[in-house]
Amino acid sequence: AQSVSQHNHHVILSEAASLELGCNYSYGGTVNLFWYVQYPGQHLQLLLKYFSGDPLVKGIKGFEAEFIKSKFSFNLRKPSVQWSDTAEYFCAVTVMEYGNKLVFGAGTILRVKS
Amino acid sequence: ETGVTQSPTHLIKTRGQQVTLRCSSQSGHNTVSWYQQALGQGPQFIFQYYREEENGRGNFPPRFSGLQFPNYSSELNVNALELDDSALYLCASSIIRDPSYEQYFGPGTRLTVT
């Protein structure tokens, strides 16, 4: 079965610090990769996605992620975080053979100190 | 365009009871998926409906069932509630033939089983 691992459950950063959240998945076939974000009191929103092409994808609010197929990884990055980035971040994968069923990681809670 | 809506927002039930949760898909979307998000975990896929038929199911027992209506609204029914069913239930809509397989999430229904 497919699974997604997120390396850290809680991350605390100061404003302007750089962010990298790790994500690894366990499926050898064709995958689509996603990062979703859940701001306090809001619903899950898509941050960025990878389907094919350039392995470095850019999303909203200055976030980017790099797909490294050989490492089964899809890490999320942002050069300089803001207080408003405080949220929970979920990495997720869909496997082409299984349609668009999303398999999520456990999530990483990011708190940015102002 | 209207987003995905869910009702009710919160619900408290007693063990052994039955519950029905409702979802209205985003305009133009014909596929709806349901996810269960337990505290501290990522969402887990329950099942998906496309054109009023179940189109994939996760590792949930048969007491979890669903319906999709011609107007693409959907219901999640849970019979014989157990304490472990306490969770946030998320509905997501998508266009199944969209190769991006992006899903749009509703705000969720918080179910508490006592």
Side-chain angles (χ1 to χ4, degrees):
Chain A
Q2 312 91 45
S3 66
V4 176
S5 298
Q6 293 185 236
H7 304 167
N8 308 95
H9 194 55
H10 284 93
V11 173
I12 301 174
L13 294 173
S14 298
E15 276 193 309
S18 64
L19 169 72
E20 181 159 3
L21 302 182
C23 172
N24 287 91
Y25 63 94
S26 67
Y27 185 73
T30 303
V31 296
N32 303 312
L33 296 156
F34 305 80
W35 276 96
Y36 279 86
V37 61
Q38 190 166 29
Y39 296 103
Q42 297 187 29
H43 57 271
L44 274 171
Q45 302 170 42
L46 183 67
L47 202 54
L48 49 78
K49 59 189 179 186
Y50 171 81
F51 297 103
S52 62
D54 189 345
L56 184 63
V57 293
K58 295 192 185 297
I60 60 172
K61 303 186 181 185
F63 286 90
E64 65 178 31
E66 184 175 12
F67 171 50
I68 303 179
K69 190 174 181 179
S70 61
K71 295 185 178 180
F72 298 90
S73 70
F74 190 56
N75 294 351
L76 180 70
R77 298 194 293 249
K78 186 171 184 179
S80 176
V81 295
Q82 301 172 319
W83 177 81
S84 58
D85 293 324
T86 294
E88 188 161 16
Y89 294 81
F90 293 93
C91 181
V93 60
T94 60
V95 174
M96 295 301 288
E97 290 86 341
Y98 304 128
N100 59 346
K101 159 192 157 183
L102 280 162
V103 177
F104 283 89
T108 298
I109 298 170
L110 170 66
R111 185 164 79 88
V112 180
K113 300 184 294 183
S114 57
Chain B
E1 76 185 1
T2 57
V4 179
T5 59
Q6 293 185 243
S7 63
T9 305
H10 295 88
L11 202 53
I12 300 174
K13 289 286 189 178
T14 303
R15 189 171 48 184
Q17 286 186 315
Q18 178 266 341
V19 69
T20 298
L21 310 182
R22 294 179 174 83
C23 170
S24 289
S25 299
Q26 185 159 320
S27 177
H29 289 183
N30 57 19
T31 301
V32 65
S33 303
W34 285 90
Y35 294 82
Q36 180 196 65
Q37 186 177 10
L39 202 60
Q41 298 181 25
Q44 283 197 295
F45 177 75
I46 302 175
F47 45 55
Q48 182 181 88
Y49 278 80
Y50 172 65
R51 291 186 174 177
E52 303 172 51
E53 291 192 1
E54 192 176 287
N55 184 45
R57 189 178 183 92
N59 189 26
F60 281 81
R63 61 188 183 83
F64 285 77
S65 63
L67 286 171
Q68 185 184 30
F69 301 100
N71 64 357
Y72 303 127
S73 63
S74 174
E75 287 181 356
L76 164 65
N77 299 289
V78 187
N79 294 321
L81 283 166
E82 300 177 0
L83 296 179
D84 284 349
D85 296 334
S86 295
L88 181 68
Y89 288 86
L90 298 168
C91 167
S93 72
S94 64
I95 301 171
I96 194 168
R97 287 192 174 86
D98 183 350
S100 68
Y101 290 121
E102 182 169 344
Q103 297 190 40
Y104 296 82
F105 284 83
T109 293
R110 173 74 62 188
L111 173 65
T112 302
V113 181
T114 63

